[in-house]
């Protein structure tokens, strides 16, 4: 399974755009890239998933370069409630039983 | 979206007792569920993959006789921590892969916090 590397922590202020980059140099051809958000004492919550180029939904955008060895989660205009740990995961939907291995995650702190 | 529910959300037990945690997919069938544990300030660690109607597949270093997993139906998987000890105190989280339009997305339960005295 592809290993991911993310910054351990990031600080931001309300209203700013936050970009969290994840490295996954040994991503496999059929691997998808998925980002999750986790608040303390809660299960992770799905944010966005992509395979290549750019994906956008109502809460975030995901940028994936052509070589797919990294990805960037973009959170527009963050608020205090976006303070959480963000995990980048790489895995196939059906290979390896579809399991996802969590890396260390990025602890985002949004300040007023 | 698909919902995964865990019960209980928290449990306190005495050392040596067994504790069962349930994980249910509420609006979809999950042939495969995953169990994670998470210690404070750490990431989620995959413990095992639960397959409906067959034996679970455990990750390296996870004792299968200590953490019994039963996936008896397409909507229910259970994790039993046998003869629990204080070092088993942790946050246990289950997840299930979506089906149909949600295929590819992994839905997580709310987690179950186990405290062993």
């Amino acid at each position: 399974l592809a290993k991911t590397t993310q910054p351990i922590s990031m600080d931001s202020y309300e209203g700013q755009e936050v970009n969290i980059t994840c490295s996954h140099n040994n991503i496999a051809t059929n691997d998808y890239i998925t980002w999750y958000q986790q608040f303390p004492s809660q299960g992770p919550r799905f944010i966005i998933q992509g395979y290549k180029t750019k994906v956008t939904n109502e809460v975030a955008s995901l940028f994936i370069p052509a070589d797919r060895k990294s990805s960037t989660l973009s959170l527009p205009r963050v608020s205090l409630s976006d303070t959480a740990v963000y995990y980048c995961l790489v895995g196939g939907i059906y290979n390896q039983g579809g399991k996802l291995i969590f890396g260390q995650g990025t602890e985002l702190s949004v300040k007023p | 979206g698909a919902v995964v529910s865990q019960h209980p959300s928290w449990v306190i037990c005495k050392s040596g007792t067994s504790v069962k945690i349930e994980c249910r997919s509420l609006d979809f069938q999950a042939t495969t569920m995953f169990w994670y544990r998470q210690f404070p300030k750490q990431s989620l660690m995959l413990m095992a993959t639960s397959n409906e109607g067959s034996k679970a597949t455990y990750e390296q270093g996870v004792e299968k006789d200590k953490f019994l997993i039963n996936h008896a139906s397409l909507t229910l998987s259970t994790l039993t921590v046998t003869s629990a000890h204080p070092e088993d105190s942790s946050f246990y989280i289950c997840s299930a892969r979506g089906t149909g339009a949600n295929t590819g997305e992994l839905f997580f339960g709310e987690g179950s916090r186990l405290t062993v005295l």
Side-chain angles (χ1 to χ4, degrees):
Chain A
L1 294 173
K3 179 181 177 180
T4 60
T5 303
Q6 304 173 232
I8 294 176
S9 63
M10 292 182 70
D11 291 332
S12 182
Y13 291 94
E14 281 190 292
Q16 290 186 332
E17 177 185 81
V18 171
N19 297 306
I20 306 174
T21 297
C22 177
S23 297
H24 28 80
N25 291 319
N26 58 338
I27 188 170
T29 302
N30 57 351
D31 282 345
Y32 281 73
I33 300 159
T34 313
W35 285 79
Y36 286 84
Q37 175 192 57
Q38 186 184 29
F39 297 111
S41 297
Q42 294 186 26
R45 184 176 71 96
F46 175 91
I47 301 175
I48 197 166
Q49 182 183 73
Y51 184 82
K52 61 180 179 180
T53 63
K54 177 184 175 182
V55 180
T56 298
N57 62 22
E58 62 276 9
V59 297
S61 293
L62 178 60
F63 299 92
I64 305 169
D67 65 6
R68 303 202 324 124
K69 293 185 177 182
S70 66
S71 59
T72 299
L73 173 72
S74 181
L75 304 173
R77 298 179 297 282
V78 294
S79 63
L80 296 176
S81 61
D82 292 318
T83 294
V85 179
Y86 292 83
Y87 293 98
C88 159
L89 288 85
V90 172
I93 295 177
Y94 299 111
N95 63 333
Q96 296 105 29
K99 63 184 179 183
L100 291 178
I101 304 298
F102 282 77
Q104 63 182 15
T106 297
E107 186 170 10
L108 173 65
S109 177
V110 180
K111 302 175 182 177
Chain B
V3 177
V4 174
S5 178
Q6 283 184 240
H7 178 81
S9 56
W10 60 270
V11 57
I12 301 173
C13 71
K14 293 181 179 180
S15 184
T17 60
S18 295
V19 174
K20 179 185 287 187
I21 300 170
E22 295 185 345
C23 177
R24 295 180 184 274
S25 56
L26 298 184
D27 53 359
F28 67 101
Q29 294 183 333
T31 55
T32 302
M33 291 184 174
F34 305 93
W35 286 95
Y36 295 83
R37 67 187 297 183
Q38 185 176 34
F39 293 108
K41 295 294 184 180
Q42 293 188 23
S43 182
L44 286 77
M45 183 194 80
L46 180 65
M47 298 175 67
T49 301
S50 170
N51 302 295
E52 187 269 335
S54 64
K55 292 183 179 180
T57 303
Y58 291 80
E59 296 298 305
Q60 189 173 9
V62 178
E63 301 175 58
K64 62 180 181 180
D65 295 329
K66 172 76 172 178
F67 300 99
L68 301 179
I69 293 173
N70 187 346
H71 195 155
S73 77
L74 288 172
T75 60
L76 173 65
S77 175
T78 61
L79 167 68
T80 301
V81 183
T82 62
S83 187
H85 291 284
E87 58 265 30
D88 298 322
S89 298
S90 187
F91 193 52
Y92 292 87
I93 307 170
C94 73
S95 66
R97 190 166 293 284
T99 57
N102 294 316
T103 296
E105 185 174 336
L106 203 59
F107 296 94
F108 287 83
E110 315 95 321
S112 299
R113 184 163 301 283
L114 170 63
T115 301
V116 184
L117 302 177

